[in-house]
Amino acid sequence: MSQTKFLLQESELPRRWYNIRSDMPTAPQPVLHPGTGQPVGPDDLAPLFPMELIGQEVSEEPEIAIPDEVLEIYSLWRPTPLFRARRLEEAIGTRSRIFYKYEGVSPPGSHKPNTAVAQAFYNKREGRTRLSTETGAGQWGSALAFACKLIGLECKVYMVRVSYEQKPARRSMIKAWGAEIVPSPSEETQSGRAILEEHSDSPGSLGIAISEAVEDAAGREDTAYSLGSVLNHVLLHQTVIGQEALAQMELADAFPDVVIGCVGGGSNFAGLAFPFLREKIAGREIDVLACEPAACPTLTRGLFAYDFGDTSKLTPLVPMHTLGHDFVPAPIHAGGLRYHGVAPLISQLVRDELIRAEAYLQNDVFASAVLFAGSEGILPAPEAAHAIHGTLHAAKAADEAGEERTILFNLSGHGHFDMAAYDNYFAGKLKDVALDEDEMSRALEAIESLPSPA
Ligand SMILES: Cc1ncc(COP(=O)(O)O)c(C=O)c1O
């Protein structure tokens, strides 16, 4: 019988995170202080983040050691399995080989605790007792609640209102790990109140929830802010995924021609892709594909520009592909992909043509999710289903070209808390939304006066 699962021993857990900054052909541009237009320094960030993470954010070291305490918690679910999707290959009749790395085996059900545990650890070591954060789909909020519980910190989660209403069970999970949770926009912060005054029925967005969580942390000595994606240190922590996958592909006697992930802020995609991009930068040929929703097409249609990371303009200016900080994406079911920006590291690699991107409509994505569940068994999170859809595209393109390719994708989480979305799909109630050109132009007006990147 041919092998389906490729597993590593606990002793083979990566001991270091991989820092792609040290290998990038073009250095990423600095993050700017919005008041002075100058690069931000450690003192600007100290009210929000512990010094170790500020150091990791700008580090040029190729690798950074993972603390033993973090490895010990990782070992609850890592190394995660890598599967050969034989039954999916058969279902679609492709000549290509499809592999996937499955991050849904973590206690909260996604890749997010890879950074949540590290962030909670450094915050605790530097004396913080409480973390505030935003969550879209609820995966990040539950990952941080889980990490804070195990490490011994309080946690406050601002959950995007539309997801808060779509996913009551995620709320319960966050509470079960002892965190406090409110729908965003909320009455608890100035940013939330200002939005509610203008749009009392606002569905919320990650940009708004980030404003609330940053405001919360900036106003309290005991509290730091924790972000689940976008920042360099978050992407760094996720690279355990790709390092394990490299070793597991070797066990399978294979190497990918195509590496695929979905992109919200970019962390799971980077986690899988960066260790493979290291190989690509060193000369190997790999097609690296980022998949996003057509309702929030940051990489495929956004501008590369300086923009705020949040709606209320509380964060520094970040050089990234953006749709504008006050853009509120349509309430599609992949809540974790509803973000106006994307990680600066990914943006720069897209500009350098090391990564390409595609955008999909949600009914097509759910059709691929159901096909996957019907062959491989796992019900994917709607976010991860974008990577499945991208994989099916890539396999079809290979078949049409008469080629056998090896495709690897990241199945970033399971969809057990997303069954209302599946129900809506089965009932034919999901709206296909591609971002309207006029709405995009309107949203981009908000960044016209900001500095331009080189
Ligand atoms: C399962 C899953 N995949 C992907 C994402 C997108 O985030 P990122 O692009 O940071 O991986 C999320 C975000 O909530 C998620 O829950």
Side-chain angles (χ1 to χ4, degrees), residues 10-214:
E10 231 167 87
S11 58
E12 293 172 285
L13 232 165
R15 293 289 192 273
R16 297 174 166 271
W17 292 302
Y18 165 57
N19 182 13
I20 200 166
R21 276 174 72 101
S22 65
D23 287 323
M24 283 170 72
T26 314
Q29 303 193 36
V31 168
L32 302 181
H33 190 290
T36 63
Q38 294 302 308
V40 295
D43 291 348
D44 299 313
L45 299 173
L48 292 182
F49 299 106
M51 275 301 160
E52 177 65 32
L53 294 179
I54 293 171
Q56 290 181 7
E57 196 59 22
V58 293
S59 171
E60 301 283 347
E61 290 298 314
E63 294 186 343
I64 292 174
I66 306 176
D68 286 346
E69 295 87 339
V70 173
L71 281 171
E72 195 199 304
I73 297 181
Y74 278 179
S75 71
L76 292 173
W77 73 96
R78 303 209 73 85
T80 61
L82 181 118
F83 291 88
R84 168 92 185 264
R86 288 182 194 282
R87 301 176 61 92
L88 179 67
E89 289 167 17
E90 225 170 88
I92 60 173
T94 184
R95 294 165 56 193
S96 289
R97 294 191 291 176
I98 300 176
F99 292 87
Y100 61 96
K101 179 77 166 153
Y102 185 40
E103 289 294 304
V105 294
S106 77
S110 78
H111 64 294
K112 296 284 183 182
N114 296 330
T115 183
V117 171
Q119 292 189 44
F121 167 76
Y122 291 122
N123 273 292
K124 169 108 179 188
R125 197 173 70 178
E126 293 186 29
R128 257 32 182 261
T129 57
R130 181 176 175 273
L131 295 182
S132 66
T133 198
E134 72 294 328
T135 194
Q139 289 271 21
W140 168 243
S142 32
L144 195 68
F146 157 77
C148 284
K149 185 72 187 169
L150 267 63
I151 287 194
L153 296 173
E154 286 177 54
C155 180
K156 170 81 176 261
V157 179
Y158 294 85
M159 183 168 186
V160 175
R161 184 176 296 274
V162 57
S163 298
Y164 185 90
E165 282 157 11
Q166 282 167 354
K167 300 186 185 188
R170 272 279 167 207
R171 286 186 238 158
S172 315
M173 192 179 202
I174 289 169
K175 283 187 197 154
W177 277 314
E180 195 188 332
I181 176 165
V182 288
S184 164
S186 77
E187 293 286 351
E188 299 192 17
T189 63
Q190 269 179 21
S191 312
R193 287 191 293 275
I195 304 254
L196 287 173
E197 221 161 82
E198 267 191 49
H199 306 283
S200 58
D201 59 347
S202 169
S205 70
L206 279 168
I208 295 170
I210 292 172
S211 297
E212 293 207 88
V214 167

Side-chain angles (χ1 to χ4, degrees), residues 162-446:
V162 57
S163 298
Y164 185 90
E165 282 157 11
Q166 282 167 354
K167 300 186 185 188
R170 272 279 167 207
R171 286 186 238 158
S172 315
M173 192 179 202
I174 289 169
K175 283 187 197 154
W177 277 314
E180 195 188 332
I181 176 165
V182 288
S184 164
S186 77
E187 293 286 351
E188 299 192 17
T189 63
Q190 269 179 21
S191 312
R193 287 191 293 275
I195 304 254
L196 287 173
E197 221 161 82
E198 267 191 49
H199 306 283
S200 58
D201 59 347
S202 169
S205 70
L206 279 168
I208 295 170
I210 292 172
S211 297
E212 293 207 88
V214 167
E215 188 184 320
D216 180 318
R220 288 179 61 153
E221 278 278 301
D222 63 348
T223 302
Y225 169 61
S226 178
L227 186 63
S229 192
V230 180
L231 297 177
N232 301 349
H233 68 264
V234 180
L235 275 53
L236 172 84
H237 300 154
Q238 293 293 351
T239 59
V240 286
I241 303 172
Q243 292 182 68
E244 287 177 9
L246 267 167
Q248 288 163 307
M249 290 300 283
E250 219 175 293
L251 287 180
D253 206 11
F255 191 86
D257 301 303
V258 194
V259 172
I260 299 178
C262 69
V263 172
S267 73
N268 87 90
F269 170 78
L272 179 68
F274 282 6
F276 288 95
L277 279 163
R278 185 185 212 173
E279 305 285 322
K280 181 166 178 168
I281 293 165
R284 276 190 107 140
E285 220 175 283
I286 315 173
D287 176 22
V288 182
L289 172 63
C291 306
E292 62 183 11
C296 190
T298 320
L299 285 172
T300 48
R301 290 174 63 200
L303 278 187
F304 180 76
Y306 270 111
D307 196 5
F308 293 97
D310 72 315
T311 306
S312 300
K313 305 192 267 192
L314 300 178
T315 70
L317 292 171
V318 183
M320 61 181 176
H321 286 84
T322 177
L323 296 166
H325 53 264
D326 68 1
F327 171 62
V328 177
I332 54 164
H333 277 284
L337 305 187
R338 292 178 68 243
Y339 182 59
H340 67 273
V342 71
L345 292 177
I346 293 176
S347 287
Q348 187 58 53
L349 292 161
V350 167
R351 287 184 96 200
D352 288 345
E353 297 182 358
L354 285 160
I355 297 172
R356 68 186 179 93
E358 290 181 353
Y360 313 124
L361 294 169
Q362 65 175 345
N363 277 297
D364 295 338
V365 167
F366 273 89
S368 296
V370 171
L371 174 63
F372 181 81
S375 45
E376 295 296 313
I378 299 170
L379 268 162
E383 291 83 6
H386 286 72
I388 297 173
H389 192 65
T391 297
L392 299 186
H393 263 207
K396 190 161 174 230
D399 289 333
E400 284 170 1
E403 288 179 18
E404 277 172 37
R405 293 188 191 141
T406 300
I407 303 170
L408 168 65
F409 76 90
N410 197 4
L411 189 61
S412 53
H414 67 63
H416 299 174
F417 292 85
D418 301 280
M419 298 322 294
Y422 279 90
D423 284 343
N424 283 337
Y425 169 68
F426 293 134
K429 287 191 197 156
L430 287 193
K431 285 205 192 103
D432 272 336
V433 194
L435 175 58
D436 177 78
E437 198 65 40
D438 290 346
E439 165 60 6
M440 188 165 94
S441 309
R442 188 214 56 75
L444 286 173
E445 276 171 22

